[in-house]
Amino acid sequence: MSPQLLTLVIQLLLLFTPAPTTVTSHYNYNYTSTSPPSQSEWRPARATFYAASDPRDKVGGACGYGDLEKAGYGQATAGLSEILFERGQICGACFELRCVEDIRWCIPGTSIIVTVTNFCAPNYGFNPDGGGHCNPPNKHFVLPIEAFEKIAIWKAGNMPVQYRRIKCRKEGGIRFTIDGSDIFISALISNVAGAGDVVAVKIKGSRTGWLPMGRNWGQNWHINANLKNQPLSFEVTTSDGLTVTSYNVAPKNWNFGQTFEGKQFES
């Protein structure tokens, strides 16, 4: 092929080659999540257990759920190490765990599903491989012994496991426990299906528009607003971007300390 013909062919190819396309997302969520709320791939971690007499089930741990038995979570719960806990945003998410790598202690063909209700604090008096089970960068689950023994013999101690994020299945609707004083209103959001971990909450009285609430700690959300003598509605958004709106959940004569049930996410 002559140089003149080759040059003409290159020019024609450049002329008809489509320009690269830029796709712009119209979604701008103001949250992050390291784990997808739908079922994900298995990942390595380790797990230990605590005894049934441990008082942490009564105080409810770092997510603020209170007495886990009364809140409906029972023994199917877990405390997460710092690298997994996401400063409390992960509270309410669900994981499936299975024992791996040790035929002496694993119970074959078993797995458990747990809801995140607590935080396993790091212990910097130990290194991550020498007693600091929940120190960064360790991925660690602390389970009630009743849950641990469904997948492994208790003598296993610090057990290798695999975990994956799954959708939560809950009975009944989302629960809103209202607390506070005067114009300070706190709402504990619990029993959330689907993704499970709440990233945004709005509240509305009969004489207001939708008001955004701030995360206080765990899944406790708060606002300073005069909402007494008004029925209350809630808008809850989880980490997968889905939103459920529950209108007039609390009646006009609601009081602090009461719990109300709203709509629920599909699971």
Side-chain angles (χ1 to χ4, degrees):
M1 182 182 295
S2 67
Q4 294 86 353
L5 183 56
L6 179 60
T7 300
L8 179 61
V9 170
I10 293 174
Q11 289 175 341
L12 288 172
L13 288 172
L14 290 174
L15 178 64
F16 290 102
T17 300
T21 302
T22 301
V23 178
T24 303
S25 172
H26 295 284
Y27 296 96
N28 184 24
Y29 301 134
N30 59 348
Y31 63 85
T32 59
S33 178
T34 58
S35 303
S38 58
Q39 185 168 297
S40 58
E41 71 276 10
W42 291 100
R43 300 175 183 178
R46 300 188 77 89
T48 50
F49 63 85
Y50 61 89
S53 60
D54 196 296
R56 73 188 73 190
D57 283 340
K58 298 300 180 186
V59 299
C63 293
Y65 292 128
D67 188 314
L68 297 178
E69 290 287 350
K70 292 181 180 179
Y73 292 104
Q75 301 295 335
T77 61
L80 269 57
S81 60
E82 185 173 40
I83 197 168
L84 293 173
F85 192 63
E86 298 180 10
R87 297 185 177 181
Q89 181 179 297
I90 199 69
C91 287
C94 295
F95 291 89
E96 183 178 8
L97 277 71
R98 65 186 182 188
C99 180
V100 294
E101 296 180 12
D102 199 327
I103 59 173
R104 295 176 302 166
W105 309 122
C106 291
I107 300 175
T110 61
S111 68
I112 55 172
I113 295 174
V114 295
T115 302
V116 179
T117 60
N118 208 349
F119 172 53
C120 179
N123 183 350
Y124 294 112
F126 298 91
N127 62 50
D129 297 323
H133 301 319
C134 294
N135 293 4
N138 290 348
K139 295 180 178 180
H140 197 90
F141 290 78
V142 181
L143 308 170
I145 190 170
E146 293 86 350
F148 187 91
E149 288 189 315
K150 292 182 184 298
I151 58 173
I153 307 301
W154 67 270
K155 290 183 179 180
N158 185 15
M159 190 70 200
V161 296
Q162 289 180 337
Y163 73 96
R164 62 180 176 181
R165 182 81 178 269
I166 65 170
K167 284 188 175 183
C168 298
R169 297 181 182 275
K170 303 296 180 183
E171 293 184 5
I174 300 172
R175 295 174 191 152
F176 304 89
T177 301
I178 303 174
D179 212 335
S181 177
D182 196 23
I183 65 170
F184 176 80
I185 297 176
S186 173
L188 169 63
I189 315 297
S190 62
N191 200 55
V192 181
D197 53 339
V198 177
V199 298
V201 178
K202 292 181 181 179
I203 189 171
K204 181 184 182 300
S206 58
R207 298 192 295 271
T208 72
W210 286 104
L211 307 172
M213 304 185 77
R215 187 191 300 273
N216 195 338
W217 59 284
Q219 288 299 354
N220 285 276
W221 298 75
H222 71 278
I223 191 172
N224 289 313
N226 184 6
L227 296 173
K228 290 294 289 182
N229 300 313
Q230 301 177 56
L232 301 180
S233 303
F234 289 91
E235 183 181 280
V236 176
T237 302
T238 46
S239 63
D240 53 2
L242 299 179
T243 297
V244 163
T245 303
S246 300
Y247 290 100
N248 301 323
V249 171
K252 180 180 180 179
N253 61 343
W254 64 268
N255 283 305
F256 294 117
Q258 292 181 310
T259 299
F260 303 96
E261 190 170 298
K263 293 184 178 180
Q264 186 60 277
F265 291 92
E266 294 183 5
S267 57

